[in-house]
Amino acid sequence: MSGETTLTIVGNLTSDPELRYTQSGLAVSNFTIASTPRVFDRQSNEWKDGDALFIRASVWRDFAEQVANSLQKGMRVIAQGRLRQRAYETKEGDRRTVIELEVDEIGPSLRFATAQVTRVQGSQRPQQTQQAQQGSSPAPQDEWVSGPYGDETPF
């Protein structure tokens, strides 16, 4: 959508993503990303941490389940999404406004870590992927691996 404020943030998860379901059964995962800038202080000749920025984030539907099954507290992530402003009323009747990141893409940062990616096929749920890995059903074939191209470039 035109005119939306998009943001890319690199930081660490402050807790495990919290997976919940709405009354209609829609999955939503909420988490906070802490991004702390580091600057080099020439006077002391060392790196120093700046003030941390904490961004509350959410993902929806199957994406929420995949995030909850894949990411954990402390992981360094790269997230891209749209900033949303939301107003609500507390139990005490106070009006509050929050700004949250509605995540479009997220993944682990590979700068200081490695990752093993498992492709989810079509409407396959993360629980089905875990069952396939545990041997309760045959693992789906990845057409990029087992496709007709072999080791040769397809173009």
Side-chain angles (χ1 to χ4, degrees):
M1 184 182 276
S2 173
E4 291 184 311
T5 304
T6 59
L7 175 73
T8 300
I9 186 168
V10 178
N12 294 14
L13 296 182
T14 62
S15 62
D16 289 343
E18 177 188 349
L19 180 62
R20 295 181 296 114
Y21 293 88
T22 64
Q23 290 179 351
S24 62
L26 197 62
V28 60
S29 186
N30 296 303
F31 49 93
T32 300
I33 301 171
S35 180
T36 307
R38 292 190 52 110
V39 294
F40 188 75
D41 184 349
R42 292 181 189 260
Q43 292 178 348
S44 65
N45 202 31
E46 61 185 26
W47 288 95
K48 294 191 176 181
D49 288 338
D51 293 331
L53 170 67
F54 294 90
I55 295 286
R56 196 74 184 137
S58 63
V59 295
W60 293 85
R61 298 177 182 75
D62 291 347
F63 189 18
E65 294 175 340
Q66 293 167 356
V67 166
N69 287 329
S70 302
L71 301 178
Q72 299 157 0
K73 176 182 179 176
M75 282 185 152
R76 187 166 185 81
V77 297
I78 303 168
Q80 185 272 326
R82 294 160 280 131
L83 287 180
R84 297 280 190 222
Q85 180 173 309
R86 182 173 56 88
Y88 66 96
E89 191 171 310
T90 65
K91 293 178 183 177
E92 294 79 28
D94 298 329
R95 297 280 304 155
R96 301 283 167 95
T97 301
V98 295
I99 296 178
E100 299 173 324
L101 182 67
E102 190 172 302
V103 176
D104 293 321
E105 298 287 341
I106 189 168
S109 170
L110 300 181
R111 183 173 214 162
F112 303 110
T114 61
Q116 180 66 40
V117 177
T118 303
R119 176 180 252 166
V120 176
Q121 299 291 325
S123 63
Q124 184 181 24
R125 293 266 202 243
Q127 295 87 355
Q128 293 169 328
T129 303
Q130 290 172 354
Q131 291 171 352
Q133 291 172 347
Q134 295 169 357
S136 61
S137 64
Q141 291 295 319
D142 185 346
E143 63 188 50
W144 289 100
V145 174
S146 62
Y149 306 117
D151 288 337
E152 294 186 30
T153 306
F155 45 83

